Amino acid sequence: MQLARGASDDPYVWLWALGALALYALITYGLTYRARARRGSRHPARDAVHDLKDREDPQPSDKRLVSRVIMLSGAGLTGLVAALTSGVVRTLAVGLAIGAAVTAWAYYDHRTQRRASTKP
Protein backbone atom coordinates (compact mmCIF):
# COMPACT_ATOMS: atom_id res chain seq x y z
CA MET A 1 0.00 0.00 0.00
CA GLN A 2 1.30 3.43 -0.94
CA LEU A 3 0.71 6.57 1.10
CA ALA A 4 -0.92 9.56 -0.50
CA ARG A 5 1.54 12.22 -1.59
CA GLY A 6 1.31 15.85 -2.58
CA ALA A 7 1.38 16.97 -6.18
CA SER A 8 4.92 18.32 -5.85
CA ASP A 9 8.24 16.56 -5.54
CA ASP A 10 9.53 19.41 -3.34
CA PRO A 11 8.60 18.86 0.32
CA TYR A 12 9.13 22.54 1.14
CA VAL A 13 6.56 24.05 -1.22
CA TRP A 14 4.55 25.33 1.72
CA LEU A 15 7.62 27.23 2.94
CA TRP A 16 7.80 29.01 -0.44
CA ALA A 17 4.13 29.98 -0.09
CA LEU A 18 4.59 31.25 3.47
CA GLY A 19 7.68 33.14 2.36
CA ALA A 20 5.72 34.80 -0.43
CA LEU A 21 3.00 35.88 2.02
CA ALA A 22 5.60 37.19 4.46
CA LEU A 23 7.28 39.10 1.64
CA TYR A 24 3.91 40.59 0.65
CA ALA A 25 3.30 41.74 4.23
CA LEU A 26 6.81 43.18 4.51
CA ILE A 27 6.56 45.09 1.23
CA THR A 28 3.08 46.37 2.09
CA TYR A 29 4.32 47.52 5.50
CA GLY A 30 7.31 49.25 3.89
CA LEU A 31 5.13 51.07 1.38
CA THR A 32 2.67 52.13 4.08
CA TYR A 33 5.50 53.27 6.35
CA ARG A 34 7.00 55.35 3.55
CA ALA A 35 3.64 56.95 2.79
CA ARG A 36 3.07 57.77 6.47
CA ALA A 37 6.57 59.24 6.83
CA ARG A 38 6.07 61.41 3.75
CA ARG A 39 2.79 62.72 5.14
CA GLY A 40 4.62 63.87 8.27
CA SER A 41 3.37 61.32 10.79
CA ARG A 42 5.03 61.57 14.21
CA HIS A 43 5.09 57.77 14.56
CA PRO A 44 5.13 56.31 11.04
CA ALA A 45 6.02 52.76 12.13
CA ARG A 46 3.14 52.51 14.59
CA ASP A 47 0.72 54.19 12.18
CA ALA A 48 1.76 51.84 9.38
CA VAL A 49 1.02 48.80 11.55
CA HIS A 50 -2.39 50.26 12.45
CA ASP A 51 -3.09 50.97 8.76
CA LEU A 52 -2.33 47.35 7.90
CA LYS A 53 -4.52 46.08 10.73
CA ASP A 54 -7.44 48.42 10.12
CA ARG A 55 -8.16 47.80 6.47
CA GLU A 56 -11.90 48.18 6.53
CA ASP A 57 -12.32 49.68 3.07
CA PRO A 58 -12.00 46.86 0.58
CA GLN A 59 -10.88 47.57 -2.94
CA PRO A 60 -13.55 48.21 -5.54
CA SER A 61 -14.47 45.04 -7.42
CA ASP A 62 -12.64 45.96 -10.64
CA LYS A 63 -9.43 46.74 -8.73
CA ARG A 64 -9.78 43.55 -6.70
CA LEU A 65 -10.11 41.58 -9.94
CA VAL A 66 -6.91 43.13 -11.31
CA SER A 67 -5.17 42.40 -7.99
CA ARG A 68 -6.18 38.74 -8.18
CA VAL A 69 -5.09 38.52 -11.82
CA ILE A 70 -1.67 39.89 -10.86
CA MET A 71 -1.49 37.38 -8.00
CA LEU A 72 -2.47 34.41 -10.17
CA SER A 73 -0.20 35.49 -13.02
CA GLY A 74 2.70 35.65 -10.58
CA ALA A 75 1.84 32.18 -9.32
CA GLY A 76 1.64 30.90 -12.89
CA LEU A 77 4.97 32.51 -13.75
CA THR A 78 6.56 30.98 -10.67
CA GLY A 79 5.17 27.54 -11.53
CA LEU A 80 6.40 27.84 -15.10
CA VAL A 81 9.87 28.84 -13.93
CA ALA A 82 9.93 25.93 -11.48
CA ALA A 83 8.85 23.49 -14.19
CA LEU A 84 11.43 24.67 -16.72
CA THR A 85 14.47 24.76 -14.43
CA SER A 86 16.19 22.42 -12.01
CA GLY A 87 18.83 22.38 -9.30
CA VAL A 88 20.34 25.56 -7.95
CA VAL A 89 19.09 27.51 -10.96
CA ARG A 90 15.52 26.56 -9.97
CA THR A 91 15.95 27.92 -6.47
CA LEU A 92 17.38 31.22 -7.70
CA ALA A 93 14.90 31.61 -10.56
CA VAL A 94 11.87 30.77 -8.42
CA GLY A 95 13.07 33.15 -5.72
CA LEU A 96 13.44 35.96 -8.25
CA ALA A 97 10.05 35.18 -9.82
CA ILE A 98 8.36 35.17 -6.41
CA GLY A 99 10.09 38.41 -5.47
CA ALA A 100 9.03 40.16 -8.68
CA ALA A 101 5.46 38.87 -8.57
CA VAL A 102 4.88 39.69 -4.91
CA THR A 103 6.44 43.14 -5.31
CA ALA A 104 4.15 43.94 -8.25
CA TRP A 105 1.12 42.62 -6.37
CA ALA A 106 1.89 44.54 -3.15
CA TYR A 107 2.67 47.75 -5.04
CA TYR A 108 -0.58 47.57 -7.03
CA ASP A 109 -2.61 46.91 -3.87
CA HIS A 110 -0.88 49.78 -2.10
CA ARG A 111 -1.54 52.22 -4.94
CA THR A 112 -5.19 51.27 -5.32
CA GLN A 113 -5.75 51.26 -1.55
CA ARG A 114 -4.39 54.80 -1.26
CA ARG A 115 -6.55 56.06 -4.08
CA ALA A 116 -9.64 54.36 -2.69
CA SER A 117 -9.06 55.77 0.78
CA THR A 118 -8.53 59.37 -0.42
CA LYS A 119 -11.92 59.52 -2.17
CA PRO A 120 -14.71 61.22 -0.18
Side-chain angles (χ1 to χ4, degrees):
M1 182 152 99
Q2 191 173 11
L3 296 175
R5 295 184 185 173
S8 174
D9 58 349
D10 186 4
Y12 300 107
V13 170
W14 61 274
L15 284 176
W16 284 101
L18 288 176
L21 289 175
L23 183 61
Y24 176 81
L26 182 67
I27 291 170
T28 303
Y29 171 78
L31 291 170
T32 306
Y33 174 85
R34 188 175 124 214
R36 283 300 206 162
R38 283 186 175 183
R39 289 186 201 140
S41 175
R42 294 183 70 182
H43 304 286
R46 185 175 23 165
D47 292 341
V49 170
H50 288 294
D51 284 350
L52 293 177
K53 190 176 71 170
D54 297 332
R55 285 191 172 185
E56 295 176 8
D57 299 328
Q59 293 174 324
S61 61
D62 58 334
K63 305 238 187 273
R64 189 177 8 205
L65 175 65
V66 172
S67 175
R68 297 308 178 251
V69 167
I70 291 171
M71 178 183 60
L72 292 175
S73 297
L77 172 70
T78 303
L80 183 65
V81 167
L84 296 177
T85 58
S86 63
V88 175
V89 175
R90 174 184 281 174
T91 304
L92 293 174
V94 166
L96 288 173
I98 287 174
V102 169
T103 300
W105 181 32
Y107 185 74
Y108 178 80
D109 281 352
H110 173 73
R111 296 297 292 179
T112 56
Q113 185 71 26
R114 253 185 76 206
R115 288 182 187 151
S117 65
T118 57
K119 289 183 179 178

